[in-house]
Amino acid sequence: MEIDWQILIEEARRAQKLAYAPYSHFQVGAALLASSGKIYTGCNIENASYPLSICAERVAIFKAVSEGETQFLALAVVADSQSLSAPCGACRQVIMEFAPELPVALSNLEGQRIIVKASDLLPMPFTKEFLNEKRE
Ligand code: THU
């Protein structure tokens, strides 16, 4: 399937506006294209108990997985930063669980963007292979 980055980034922008970020005021939006063709969006959702906050990327991925999707074609992330904000380590690990080859577009509101492969964002991830190697 041909990836329409324009549409994916627009969807991430739409999601960004829904961010609940009263503490950091840093609003992030994500849009994940599943192999079904459906786009799952996410925004960051913060909490008065700060560590319970969750990133936009993981919201999008968890929404998709909870709807039965585990194959992904592309992810777009939008933040208000001047330079291109990259997914945090926890989100990289979650992305790697499902889609090591996933192209991830990082984009800001000035319309700049780069596309990075998930496995380049997180070299040497922890994977299920380690669990399978565990000695009894
Ligand atoms: N955040 C995301 O949603 N995605 C990222 O890739 C980096 C950080 C959120 C988490 C928190 O709500 C706010 O941005 C500031 O860290």
Side-chain angles (χ1 to χ4, degrees):
M1 191 187 298
E2 185 61 34
I3 296 159
D4 190 334
W5 287 106
Q6 189 74 28
I7 285 186
L8 210 55
I9 290 168
E10 273 166 27
E11 285 295 307
R13 284 217 176 108
R14 207 174 49 76
Q16 187 197 18
K17 297 196 178 89
L18 301 173
Y20 177 74
Y23 307 106
S24 72
H25 303 289
F26 190 73
Q27 300 184 305
V28 186
L32 179 67
L33 175 65
S35 58
S36 64
K38 212 172 148 185
I39 294 174
Y40 294 86
T41 58
C43 60
N44 52 327
I45 305 171
E46 298 184 346
N47 192 276
S49 175
Y50 292 1
L52 299 186
S53 304
I54 185 166
C55 297
E57 295 91 325
R58 269 175 293 154
V59 170
I61 293 168
F62 294 160
K63 276 172 71 179
V65 174
S66 69
E67 296 288 327
E69 307 255 21
T70 52
Q71 310 271 323
F72 303 118
L73 302 177
L75 173 68
V77 183
V78 180
D80 283 341
S81 52
Q82 207 172 0
S83 49
L84 298 168
S85 179
C88 79
C91 289
R92 293 177 196 207
Q93 177 68 27
V94 171
I95 294 168
M96 288 298 286
E97 177 73 21
F98 297 102
E101 300 293 315
L102 192 72
V104 182
L106 311 180
S107 120
N108 61 13
L109 292 180
E110 284 154 28
Q112 293 166 315
R113 69 164 201 227
I114 51 164
I115 296 171
V116 202
K117 194 162 68 164
S119 57
D120 290 331
L121 285 172
L122 185 63
M124 287 186 74
F126 183 79
T127 66
K128 52 181 168 292
E129 281 68 44
F130 292 113
L131 299 174
N132 295 336
E133 282 171 19
K134 187 183 164 295
R135 285 183 220 276
E136 290 310 320

